[in-house]
Each structure stands twice: as structure tokens, then as C-alpha cells.
Amino acid sequence: MAKKFYAVRQGRVPGVYTTWSDCEKQVKGYGSAIYKSFSTEAEAHAFVEDSGLSLSDFMSAKKSEPKSPQEVKSKSINSRSIGSSSSVQSKVSASIVKPDFTKPDHVVAYIDGSYNKETNTVGAGGVIFLNGNRETFSFSSIDERYTSFWNVAGELLAAMHVMKYAVDNGISKCSLYYDYMGIELWATKGWKRNNALTQEYAAFYDSIKDRVRVHFHKVAAHTGDTYNEMADALAKQGAGI
């Protein structure tokens, strides 16, 4: 039987899952779920990260909850068909730039999150550059506020760790590199903050944004980017994987 990848664009924890049972946990009973199955992981990630939905298509997809991956009524919209009208898509695409490690008093960090299903542990990790110095961090959490959101919680915890690092060191500028769009879009209200985790993250960002100007940069996951891969390994280390 051909392997399938289940992409959850809108559900309890958006992401790509390799089994229907894991996907089902994110969408069953979630009234506005948007998800679909794919034969390749790349297509699944593209579906999750594509924000190029017109308002009418988005509202149409929200009207009914699909009963199975084959009955999904939402569809992935090719961004070329809507041009540059999607402000979210344009915003994310425009932020993809190479890091400049030479800027003085400017925090540059790569972050990632992970989740260990066996121990129900969330992991957060990352690499921080400041004034020519590099340091890493890796930590875990078994707090129920976070474990129910799996690796997404790890990514948000890592983002908050870096922002706090900038505040604690009196640094007013921070470039944050990540591979999950929610890092930016939950902070800047591009996505709805409709659960305790995203509300906590948004509140934290709101509390520091006047002291630290955060530049958000999305990078492609698992494409050989040295520091993105390092952040991934540190997050897994935190989760005990």
C-alpha cells in the first residue's frame, strides 16, 4: 500500500502526519478543519504552508468538516492563480533572506520544536548568534499546556526563549529564522489566536515588541540549511529523541 502523508492546514495542531490516526486526532470534532492526504511529503508541506486562499475559498472550506481524507472539500489554491493579492503569502515570501551575522547588537537565531510521543515530552532548541558569539539551547517541557500541541508548542517556546534572550541582554533587534509559519503569523495576527497556547505566545510577543523589533524569516525545512538542521537536532535532543 502506498504511503500517505496527511496535511492539516487548519486543526488543533496544523502540520503533516504520517498516519491517519494521528491526523484524525487533530481534525475530528474540529468544526473548521481543513486537511488532505498526499502521496509525497513535499506536497503535504506545501498544502499546510500555502496561505494563498481567496476569502471565498477559505470560507467555503470552513463550512463543513470532511469525514475522511478522500472527502476533503477544501482545496489547495495555486498561488499563481491569485497573483499577489495574498498579503500573508507576500509577507512570508518577502522575508526569506540570508542572515547577516556581522551586525553588532543584533540577535540572529534559528529555532525549532520537537515532540516525543513515547514520553509525551515537548522539546525546544535553537542556535543564537550575538556580536560574533554563538551559543545553543535545548530544553524540554511536560507541562500539559504544551504537550497537547506537540512540536508546535516546542517551536513557540523556542521563539519566546530567543525573544526573552534579546530582552535580557538589552538587544533591540532580533532576526528569527524558523520553518513553521505560525511563529510569525500568530505573533502578527495573521492567524487567529484561538487556543491557550497561541494566546500565550501572542501575549508574550505583545509584551516585548516595543523593546525588541523582531524580524521574522521563514526557511524551508530539511533542505540542508546548516543552522536550521542544528536547531532541529537540538529540539529533538530536548524532547529526548
Side-chain angles (χ1 to χ4, degrees):
M1 184 176 179
K3 184 176 179 62
K4 287 187 177 181
F5 296 89
Y6 300 94
V8 179
R9 178 184 288 165
Q10 186 163 319
R12 292 182 179 85
V13 181
V16 175
Y17 299 88
T18 56
T19 67
W20 165 239
S21 61
D22 284 342
C23 173
E24 186 178 30
K25 293 176 184 177
Q26 311 310 321
V27 301
K28 187 175 182 180
Y30 192 96
S32 57
I34 301 175
Y35 60 104
K36 188 176 181 180
S37 65
F38 294 90
S39 58
T40 68
E41 186 174 8
E43 289 177 305
H45 278 291
F47 178 82
V48 171
E49 297 180 1
D50 177 20
S51 58
L53 283 174
S54 68
L55 180 60
S56 59
D57 285 317
F58 179 72
M59 294 306 294
S60 177
K62 285 171 66 69
K63 287 180 180 178
S64 61
E65 179 185 355
K67 296 180 180 179
S68 72
Q70 290 74 27
E71 295 172 327
V72 175
K73 295 183 180 179
S74 63
K75 61 181 179 179
S76 178
I77 307 299
N78 188 317
S79 60
R80 288 177 297 180
S81 68
I82 59 171
S84 59
S85 61
S86 171
S87 60
V88 173
Q89 182 71 25
S90 298
K91 187 175 183 181
V92 173
S93 298
S95 69
I96 303 174
V97 297
K98 292 183 178 180
D100 182 354
F101 301 116
T102 66
K103 292 181 179 180
D105 299 323
H106 187 134
V107 170
V108 177
Y110 281 77
I111 61 169
D112 211 343
S114 187
Y115 175 70
N116 188 330
K117 294 181 182 179
E118 294 182 359
T119 61
N120 194 30
T121 302
V122 166
V127 189
I128 300 175
F129 299 87
L130 177 61
N131 295 332
N133 298 313
R134 186 184 83 182
E135 60 182 274
T136 62
F137 67 90
S138 178
F139 60 89
S140 64
S141 177
I142 57 173
D143 191 318
E144 291 182 357
R145 292 177 299 168
Y146 307 125
T147 55
S148 59
F149 294 98
W150 296 14
N151 59 301
V152 171
E155 300 213 26
L156 297 184
L157 286 171
M160 289 189 285
H161 178 88
V162 172
M163 294 178 198
K164 185 176 186 299
Y165 176 93
V167 170
D168 291 345
N169 285 275
I171 306 301
S172 62
K173 294 182 180 179
C174 173
S175 290
L176 199 57
Y177 290 80
Y178 52 89
D179 58 27
Y180 183 66
M181 286 173 60
I183 297 299
E184 175 179 4
L185 297 181
W186 277 318
T188 59
K189 301 182 181 179
W191 284 355
K192 290 182 179 180
R193 305 156 172 184
N194 57 2
N195 57 57
L197 175 63
T198 55
Q199 289 167 2
E200 176 187 341
Y201 174 66
F204 178 84
Y205 173 75
D206 287 343
S207 74
I208 63 93
K209 66 181 181 181
D210 290 335
R211 288 174 286 172
V212 180
R213 182 179 179 184
V214 181
H215 301 271
F216 296 97
H217 304 286
K218 186 182 181 305
V219 299
H222 309 301
T223 56
D225 185 304
T226 300
Y227 297 118
N228 185 56
E229 296 296 334
M230 187 180 293
D232 176 66
L234 287 163
K236 289 178 179 177
Q237 177 182 313
I241 299 176

